[in-house]
């Protein structure tokens, strides 16, 4: 079992843990499943990323299209799972899901909500390093969604999570680009003008350019696809995949089969 972490930890103890970030999201834990609350942007963003995850997995593993539970038989890790906004849909698609988060408050929220929905998800308070140290078997899919910009050592975190992908498996990373446009829209606009997120949710200095994601993954033996952007369309109020990676983007990384 991975070491449990709570918001009282005074200093970074692993590459995954930035205590200030853990405390920040622990304070918001009870609001994860409120679609009009502090995580409203994630609820609006979720359909686009869930569709992308499903279609990427179907193509990668050669899964039949149109199945109700296409991920059945696949083991999936949602690292930095928060309250379970991605873990639950993945479980409904048939995956055997393990959700890991450094915040015990987030894990308690996720466990409670999954139980209410009748879903069996293996939620754990801990870290990627804890999984590695425990000798945890590798996963078919590792989801690294909007978490790398909140950890203490992004490069080491990415290399550690890459080690949890088994041969022939894949990882999907979603994060924010370190650009002036991202500062203007994802921080100043979303947090301080539109108030979509509580001020201080993001620290622009911790955003990552795509090469800061792909380089550590490739160093860990992964093969990376060209990053794909996710853009907000204000007229429709929808998020869509795009070629614009200047704010939000996702990277698919694959571990070659043995």
């Amino acid at each position: 079992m991975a070491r449990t972490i709570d918001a009282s930890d005074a200093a970074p103890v692993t590459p995954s843990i930035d205590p200030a970030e853990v405390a920040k999201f622990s304070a918001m834990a009870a609001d994860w499943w409120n679609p009009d609350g502090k995580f409203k942007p994630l609820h609006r963003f979720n359909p686009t990323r869930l569709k992308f995850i499903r279609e990427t997995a179907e193509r990668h593993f050669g899964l039949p299209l149109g199945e109700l539970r296409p991920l059945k038989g696949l083991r999936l890790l949602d690292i930095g799972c928060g309250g379970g906004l991605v873990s639950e849909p993945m479980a409904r698609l048939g995956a055997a899901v393990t959700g890991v988060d450094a915040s015990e408050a987030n894990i308690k929220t996720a466990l409670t909500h999954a139980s209410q929905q009748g879903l069996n998800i293996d939620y754990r308070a801990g870290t990627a390093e804890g999984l590695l140290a425990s000798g945890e078997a590798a996963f078919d899919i590792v989801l690294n969604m909007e978490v790398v910009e909140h950890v203490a050592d992004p490069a080491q975190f990415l290399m550690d999570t890459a080690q949890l992908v088994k041969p022939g498996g894949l990882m999907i990373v979603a994060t924010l680009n370190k650009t002036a446009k991202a500062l203007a829209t994802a921080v100043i606009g979303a947090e301080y003008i539109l108030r979509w997120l509580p001020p201080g949710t993001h620290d622009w200095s911790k955003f990552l350019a795509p090469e800061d994601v792909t380089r550590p993954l490739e160093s860990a033996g992964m093969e990376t696809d060209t990053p794909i952007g996710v853009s907000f369309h204000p007229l429709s109020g929808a998020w869509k995949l795009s070629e614009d990676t200047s704010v939000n983007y996702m990277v698919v990384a694959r571990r070659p089969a043995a």
Side-chain angles (χ1 to χ4, degrees):
M1 176 68 72
R3 174 190 183 277
T4 57
I5 305 294
D6 65 37
S8 64
D9 287 330
V13 292
T14 75
S16 293
I17 303 300
D18 182 329
E21 295 292 318
V22 174
K24 180 194 307 178
F25 286 93
S26 294
M28 297 188 285
D31 216 27
W32 273 104
W33 287 96
N34 178 2
D36 295 312
K38 295 173 183 177
F39 294 101
K40 181 177 180 179
L42 280 182
H43 284 270
R44 298 180 69 177
F45 181 53
N46 225 18
T48 299
R49 64 178 179 174
L50 293 175
K51 183 173 184 289
F52 179 77
I53 293 166
R54 174 177 180 152
E55 292 178 350
T56 299
E58 286 175 338
R59 289 193 300 269
H60 179 82
F61 294 105
L63 303 174
L65 303 180
E67 296 284 333
L68 289 177
R69 293 169 59 82
L71 304 186
K72 186 176 181 179
L74 296 177
R75 194 157 182 252
L76 182 148
L77 171 66
D78 184 9
I79 191 73
C81 63
L85 297 186
V86 173
S87 293
E88 287 197 11
M90 293 299 106
R92 290 192 175 94
L93 290 176
V97 177
T98 298
V100 174
D101 198 279
S103 166
E104 289 192 50
N106 285 345
I107 291 298
K108 289 176 181 177
T109 297
L111 280 167
T112 299
H113 196 271
S115 176
Q116 291 170 344
Q117 301 300 309
L119 294 172
N120 182 19
I121 298 174
D122 179 13
Y123 281 122
R124 311 178 190 183
T127 65
E129 308 89 89
L131 289 172
L132 287 170
S134 71
E136 186 80 16
F139 295 83
D140 299 288
I141 303 171
V142 173
L143 299 181
N144 203 324
M145 313 300 286
E146 289 83 36
V147 62
V148 67
E149 69 271 20
H150 298 291
V151 304
D153 186 340
Q156 187 62 52
F157 174 75
L158 287 164
M159 289 188 286
D160 286 343
T161 51
Q163 296 306 317
L164 293 165
V165 181
K166 76 178 190 181
L170 65 86
M171 177 192 290
I172 301 176
V173 181
T175 190
L176 289 149
N177 204 340
K178 195 170 185 178
T179 62
K181 184 176 179 181
L183 174 62
T185 59
V187 180
I188 298 172
E191 296 181 17
Y192 294 92
I193 298 176
L194 297 174
R195 298 286 177 167
W196 286 352
L197 291 165
T201 297
H202 290 110
D203 179 352
W204 180 81
S205 69
K206 300 183 74 170
F207 289 7
L208 294 96
E211 58 267 26
D212 294 327
V213 172
T214 57
R215 192 182 302 116
L217 293 175
E218 290 168 359
S219 295
M222 304 288 281
E223 297 174 349
T224 60
D225 291 355
T226 300
I228 184 166
V230 188
S231 300
F232 180 69
H233 294 254
L235 292 179
S236 64
W239 291 87
K240 296 181 181 179
L241 299 181
S242 75
E243 296 181 356
D244 181 4
T245 61
S246 61
V247 182
N248 295 83
Y249 67 93
M250 293 188 284
V251 173
V252 176
R254 310 168 194 273
R255 182 166 296 285

